[in-house]
Amino acid sequence: MEFSLINTPVQKFDGDMVVVFANSKIDFADDNVQQLIKLNHFESKPGSTLLLSLVKGFKAKQVLVVGLGELPNSAKNYIKALTSASAILNSTQAKSAMIEQVEIEGFDQGWRHRMSARVLKDSGYKVQQVGVQGQDDPLENIAIQSTYNDAHELLQGRSIASGMRLTRHLGDLPPNICTPTYLAQTAQELANEFNLDCEVLEEADMRKLGMGSLLSVSKGSIEAPKLISLSYRGDGDSKPIVLVGKGVTFDSGGISLKPGAGMDEMKYDMCGAASVLGAMRAIAEIKPKINLTIVVPAVENMPAHNASKPGDVVTSMSGQTIEILNTDAEGRLILCDALTYVEKFNPEVVIDAATLTGAVIVALGKHHCGLMANDQELADDLLTAGKVSLDSAWQLPLDDEYDELLKSNFADMGNIGGREAGTVTAACFLARYTKKYRWAHLDIAGTAWVSGAKKGATGRPVPLLTQYILDQV
Ligand code: BES
Ligand code: MN
Ligand code: ZN
């Protein structure tokens, strides 16, 4: 799928389909389209569509009218409109399309270019069935109408979508295929494609480093644990941004076994890992002047005769001891060792993304991801990146009072804090391992995938992470 900018009237576009927007006022610039909109009783609800063929005055074969809702045109409605336009474009097998220019309140032309390319490319994602060869996008060329002739945001948008597609693909893969070994292979392939530095630590390496906490999660599984690091160098020796992604390729809960209903969705417990790999793919394509390292602790959490038990005490790489009170609070057990490990990169900031707690879904639902940080400036930057990319985060507190809930009689801390504020106590646990640098934590348990009939990975928070990184250049 190639994107370009053109500065010609929509009527002159000589391709398969022109996408034009209509809002509550419905006074469309083209008289013929205006008449057809009236005739068809088209209501300009956000994302509603009307497909017209062989419209007088248009060179393109078809004109797709898409509703933008009330004026002024909002960013959210623009995404809705593009998403439904994309569904039609993909179902009609159109090969070339032009998207009409439109003003979006609060955002400039560059933003619109980035968002258009991102949404159109991302919406073409299809789940790849096991044993079935993936197909190329039917849509080959998309021209975005614009009077602003600078395509760099457009290309950014395409790269962000290509990162999101990797993230969604990894998330949607079945857990017998997407194992820690598979994630390590994926990282190695990215390294080969984009000339990145890749290092994969094996169980023995991790044991030498003293990662007793991480290894306590993987020990009940037949799948070998991996600690994956991947670095992009675009800015000499400057301190890197480090992203850490939770990579539990299946979370059964371990001996603290989860209930059976919906347990298949715990294949998505590696979406943090998938999202940092996706962000790396986007950045490696965009090639900004910045250094980025991603680190993925990858394990499978299973019950077994040799699995960790509630009551076990383990020693983390940092030297702090942990009483495992619930083997289902495993994400923090792998992340804490990864967060100690990343000190070696001398990070500018560290941001982790993790499907860490069911409690964040109770607190925030499926719209915002949870954000907690030990540095308010970093938190603010991430909140802004979330708003700009429409991949939003909402900050939760991280006061000392919550940290006290982690007290244990038998170790430096327990791995759970009780019933209250589960998302915050999980972050407090991680905060004990991130004192040496500026750090933020994204709890993406509510946003990384959707359940129900449309079950599938969303590609979040790749847009937020990539936007944050691009904002630092
Ligand atoms: N991966 C889960 C979190 C999760 C649960 C994400 C449901 C999405 C949907 C995590 O490892 C977990 O099991 N967390 C426990 C923590 C509890 C034992 C303190 C949870 O949220 O129930
Ligand atoms: Mn769990
Ligand atoms: Zn988990």
Side-chain angles (χ1 to χ4, degrees), residues 246 248 251-254 256 258 266 269 301 326-331 355-356:
K246 171 179 172 182
V248 177
D251 180 13
S252 68
S256 313
K258 284 184 182 295
M266 281 300 118
D269 213 18
N301 186 23
N326 188 321
T327 64
D328 197 13
E330 85 298 339
T355 49
L356 204 61

Side-chain angles (χ1 to χ4, degrees), residues 383-439:
L383 291 171
T384 303
K387 281 183 192 145
V388 171
S389 60
L390 266 70
D391 179 8
S392 58
W394 197 264
Q395 193 174 3
L396 298 173
L398 204 59
D399 305 84
D400 293 342
E401 285 78 2
Y402 295 101
D403 180 78
E404 286 164 22
L405 297 168
L406 294 171
K407 273 193 184 138
S408 157
N409 288 347
F410 306 100
D412 293 330
M413 70 200 85
N415 76 330
I416 53 171
R419 282 174 46 82
E420 295 163 16
T423 302
V424 176
T425 52
C428 286
F429 182 97
L430 300 180
R432 291 178 178 226
Y433 297 83
T434 59
K435 296 210 154 66
K436 296 194 178 144
Y437 45 73
R438 298 166 66 209
W439 159 76

